[in-house]
Amino acid sequence: MFQQILLAVDGSGRSREMLNMLLALPSIQSSQINVLHVIPNSTNSEGITEYRLAGEKIIEREIKSLRLSSGNSTVSLLKEGEAKDVVCKVAEELKANLLIMGSRGMGRLQAILANSVSQYVFQLSDVPMLLIKDDVYIKTIRSIMVSVDGSAASNHSLDLAIKLASGAKDVEIFLARVVKRKDENTVSTDPVLLEASAKLKRLNIPSRSFVGSGDVGKEICRLADESNTSLLLVGSPDRRPSIARSLPDLDRLLGSSVSDYVRVNATVPVLLTRTIE
């Protein structure tokens, strides 16, 4: 299911902490874990040697701290270059099923000005990306919340959540639905929730539905926080024209992207998936 997982590490240990929680899931216990650390280019051999030695130690420490099962294998990847470009390239070469990396959780414009690696990768990679901000609490995976709205992007997120939860007896999937107006009958009458719930029931995956109304991004973050979910999945349709796939989508960065709002403001780890519509 998740044959190739790319873990991008910088020495902080946050992305590794999240992966350790995922490694308890049956769906991850046969995965190859590719641990990537990127060092900057250096103009002299002495400098590159120091960077390499430090990078090797970081990767070694991260791998030793992973709670691997007998079915997992690991690959060390020490690369030189611009981190954001290297992460995208390696994810594409591996055909990674999941990319895990840390994020400082900066706002849109701030992220652009600070040359945010996670923001850049989110814009240009098609690989599902699990972001762990410095200030989120990483919990044992007991619930996976999916934002559902009936779109191809949200359906893709639900499918990914199902793959993650596959074989796990103690994991629920929470369905988060934001509507214009909600009432006491919304859960039992909303067609999007009914379809998603029926799908999970057929697969014998326990689920619960949570409904909000108003601003979509804010409500998704609120529902995730109040439900104490372990992991939040949000789909993001790819609106970039093919001719501009090598450039960040500034309209998305500076606009009202729900996925970008959630990335910055959620109090739980966020898994962003991208679907071309």
Side-chain angles (χ1 to χ4, degrees):
M1 290 184 179
F2 293 88
Q3 295 179 332
Q4 297 285 345
I5 293 179
L6 178 57
L7 176 69
V9 297
D10 60 6
S12 69
R14 298 292 286 162
S15 52
R16 179 246 302 157
E17 288 177 38
M18 187 67 222
L19 177 55
N20 273 333
M21 295 303 181
L22 293 174
L23 283 168
L25 300 176
S27 59
I28 305 294
Q29 293 177 358
S30 296
S31 304
Q32 176 173 297
I33 312 299
N34 303 276
V35 183
L36 169 67
H37 179 69
V38 183
I39 60 176
N41 291 316
S42 179
T43 57
N44 60 78
S45 58
E46 183 177 335
I48 199 66
T49 299
E50 289 183 6
Y51 283 132
R52 281 193 164 277
L53 289 174
E56 288 169 358
K57 288 181 180 179
I58 288 173
I59 292 176
E60 182 181 6
R61 182 172 67 248
E62 295 293 329
I63 290 179
K64 283 184 177 180
S65 299
L66 291 175
R67 301 168 193 162
L68 302 169
S69 69
S70 58
N72 292 127
S73 59
T74 61
V75 174
S76 300
L77 297 170
L78 183 63
K79 302 287 186 179
E80 298 175 35
E82 187 71 33
K84 61 182 185 293
D85 296 319
V86 173
V87 172
C88 288
K89 182 179 179 182
V90 171
E92 182 179 356
E93 290 174 347
L94 288 172
K95 294 181 173 56
N97 307 110
L98 180 63
L99 165 62
I100 305 174
M101 64 188 302
S103 169
R104 287 171 287 173
M106 296 183 293
R108 299 178 184 89
L109 184 56
Q110 185 184 6
I112 296 171
L113 297 175
N115 200 20
S116 167
V117 174
S118 62
Q119 178 65 44
Y120 183 96
V121 174
F122 170 47
Q123 291 299 311
L124 298 182
S125 176
D126 294 325
V127 176
M129 183 170 66
L130 176 50
L131 291 174
I132 306 92
K133 292 192 300 179
D134 294 338
D135 59 350
V136 302
Y137 180 65
I138 300 173
K139 302 184 284 283
T140 300
I141 306 297
R142 293 284 182 262
S143 57
I144 301 172
M145 176 169 277
V146 184
S147 170
V148 294
D149 59 14
S151 67
S154 74
N155 291 338
H156 181 57
S157 285
L158 180 58
D159 288 341
L160 188 63
I162 289 170
K163 290 179 181 179
L164 279 171
S166 178
K169 297 180 180 179
D170 56 351
V171 175
E172 285 185 282
I173 290 183
F174 293 167
L175 300 172
R177 176 76 167 125
V178 180
V179 295
K180 291 182 179 179
R181 293 187 185 134
K182 70 173 181 177
D183 56 43
E184 59 185 15
N185 298 317
T186 301
V187 170
S188 60
T189 59
D190 183 78
V192 172
L193 283 176
L194 289 174
E195 182 178 353
S197 298
K199 184 174 185 176
L200 294 172
K201 187 175 182 180
R202 289 194 299 270
L203 297 170
N204 295 316
I205 297 176
S207 68
R208 279 187 271 170
S209 296
F210 298 82
V211 177
S213 62
D215 183 276
V216 178
K218 290 180 180 179
E219 283 298 290
I220 291 172
C221 290
R222 181 185 67 81
L223 293 173
D225 187 47
E226 293 183 358
S227 65
N228 196 33
T229 193
S230 311
L231 175 64
L232 172 62
L233 272 70
V234 177
S236 176
D238 190 340
R239 297 186 293 110
R240 299 166 296 172
S242 59
I243 194 172
R245 288 183 63 82
S246 62
L247 298 172
D249 183 349
L250 293 180
D251 176 53
R252 176 180 298 280
L253 288 173
L254 300 174
S256 56
S257 165
V258 170
S259 57
D260 200 53
Y261 181 90
V262 173
R263 174 190 68 84
V264 173
N265 294 284
T267 58
V268 299
V270 178
L271 204 172
L272 299 164
T273 66
R274 191 181 294 287
T275 301
I276 299 175
E277 291 188 327

